[in-house]
């Protein structure tokens, strides 16, 4: 379902920008190089949902990265609200009751629910600091099992865990990886990272890439280089 041979629907560009106006300008600049966008916590409170609806009207795929984490009744109702918007992806934290409630709230809508396993900015020490004794790898696999049991559509995880996840999930299960950095790009605050081709080879179904594209001197050229690298896998 490629809109142009320049683009790859598996690449979600994270529009982590200060305003909707700047995000709209970025989308215009990227043009037909990008057909899928992730709108996250920076824009969602300031018009990001309406902006996502405008992207849908342009034929783009839209991923609302809300990372819901609340009591079941609230998650169910919030997911129902998003399911009514014709969005493509929604994230919730991969806690069993949260995931089950999101599935109920989604109902028959085509919205795919993704569970956030372990944030890619958390390494072993960061997990210990917040009281998790499991290694990131063990915690990810525990949450993947719980995601399958809850009936959601996939998980968000570091590319470093994608291979182990792919080996343990049903066909069609989405493995969406942020923490992707083209060779030589700045890591930013990401710790568990891989290149785009390595992430896909490991079993990622979709890539989420933000700053390596949006902060590049030429964002469209950066996106096209990533699309070309993805085509070679
Ligand atoms: O700029 P960068 O490529 O690091 O952006 C990664 C995006 O993916 C950010 O929007 C971040 O919130 C999101 N994300 C992540 N790790 C997760 C889930 C989402 O980095 N586990």
């Amino acid at each position: 379902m490629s809109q142009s041979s320049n683009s790859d629907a598996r690449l979600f560009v994270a529009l982590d920008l200060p305003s909707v106006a700047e995000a709209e300008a970025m989308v215009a600049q990227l043009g037909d190089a990008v057909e899928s966008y992730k709108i996250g916590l920076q824009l969602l409170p300031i018009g990001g949902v309406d902006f996502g609806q405008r992207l849908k009207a342009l034929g783009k795929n839209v991923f609302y990265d809300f990372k819901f984490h609340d009591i079941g009744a609230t998650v169910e109702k919030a997911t129902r609200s998003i399911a009514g918007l014709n969005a493509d992806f929604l994230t919730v934290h991969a806690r069993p009751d949260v995931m089950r409630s999101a599935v109920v709230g989604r109902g028959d809508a085509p919205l795919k629910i993704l569970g956030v396993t372990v944030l890619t900015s958390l390494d072993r020490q960061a997990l210990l600091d917040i009281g998790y004794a499991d290694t990131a790898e063990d915690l990810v696999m525990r949450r993947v099992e719980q995601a399958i049991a809850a009936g959601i559509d996939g998980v968000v995880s570091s590319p470093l865990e994608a291979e182990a996840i792919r080996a343990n999930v049903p066909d069609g299960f989405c493995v969406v990886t942020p923490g992707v950095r083209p060779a030589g790009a700045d890591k930013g605050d990401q710790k568990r990272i891989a290149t785009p081709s390595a992430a896909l080879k490991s079993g990622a179904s979709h890539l989420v890439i933000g700053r390596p594209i949006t902060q590049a001197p030429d964002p469209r050229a950066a996106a096209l280089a990533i699309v070309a690298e993805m085509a070679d896998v």
Side-chain angles (χ1 to χ4, degrees):
M1 55 172 223
S2 194
Q3 289 183 349
S4 100
S5 55
N6 286 334
S7 63
D8 188 319
R10 298 173 299 170
L11 169 63
F12 277 84
V13 172
L15 290 169
D16 297 323
L17 295 165
S19 68
V20 166
E22 283 160 270
E24 306 236 57
M26 180 59 59
V27 169
Q29 199 177 350
L30 292 170
D32 66 1
V34 174
E35 57 188 293
S36 306
Y37 286 99
K38 184 175 85 69
I39 301 174
L41 293 176
Q42 190 174 8
L43 286 185
L44 287 168
I46 53 169
V49 173
D50 289 345
F51 170 51
Q53 297 302 280
R54 293 199 290 284
L55 291 180
K56 284 300 295 179
L58 292 175
K60 306 292 184 187
N61 302 311
V62 172
F63 175 160
Y64 289 126
D65 193 9
F66 272 98
K67 294 189 178 72
F68 287 153
H69 193 190
D70 208 320
I71 60 169
T74 301
V75 170
E76 181 184 325
K77 286 183 277 189
T79 304
R80 188 164 295 128
S81 296
I82 302 296
L85 294 176
N86 184 31
D88 299 285
F89 286 97
L90 168 70
T91 47
V92 303
H93 278 276
R95 207 180 69 198
D97 58 321
V98 168
M99 295 188 284
R100 285 193 298 269
S101 301
V103 168
V104 175
R106 182 259 309 273
D108 296 332
L111 177 69
K112 287 196 189 317
I113 313 268
L114 302 173
V116 176
T117 55
V118 179
L119 294 171
T120 45
S121 58
L122 299 179
D123 61 10
R124 176 91 177 116
Q125 188 56 50
L127 286 173
L128 286 171
D129 289 347
I130 55 171
Y132 286 110
D134 275 359
T135 64
E137 294 74 19
D138 288 347
L139 194 52
V140 167
M141 292 318 295
R142 177 204 295 265
R143 290 181 165 179
V144 166
E145 266 175 47
Q146 292 168 334
I148 295 167
I152 66 169
D153 303 281
V155 291
V156 181
S157 81
S158 155
L160 303 189
E161 280 103 40
E163 195 168 352
I165 295 172
R166 183 54 69 203
N168 286 283
V169 297
D171 285 349
F173 194 80
C174 297
V175 178
V176 179
T177 61
V180 176
R181 291 289 178 269
D186 185 6
K187 279 171 74 171
D189 54 354
Q190 298 285 12
K191 294 189 172 139
R192 293 177 294 120
I193 59 171
T195 63
S197 54
L200 291 176
K201 281 184 199 142
S202 302
S205 57
H206 301 78
L207 308 182
V208 170
I209 305 182
R211 290 162 290 183
I213 294 174
T214 58
Q215 307 297 312
D218 182 344
R220 182 175 162 85
L224 288 172
I226 290 169
V227 168
E229 181 179 337
M230 293 171 75
D232 286 342
V233 179

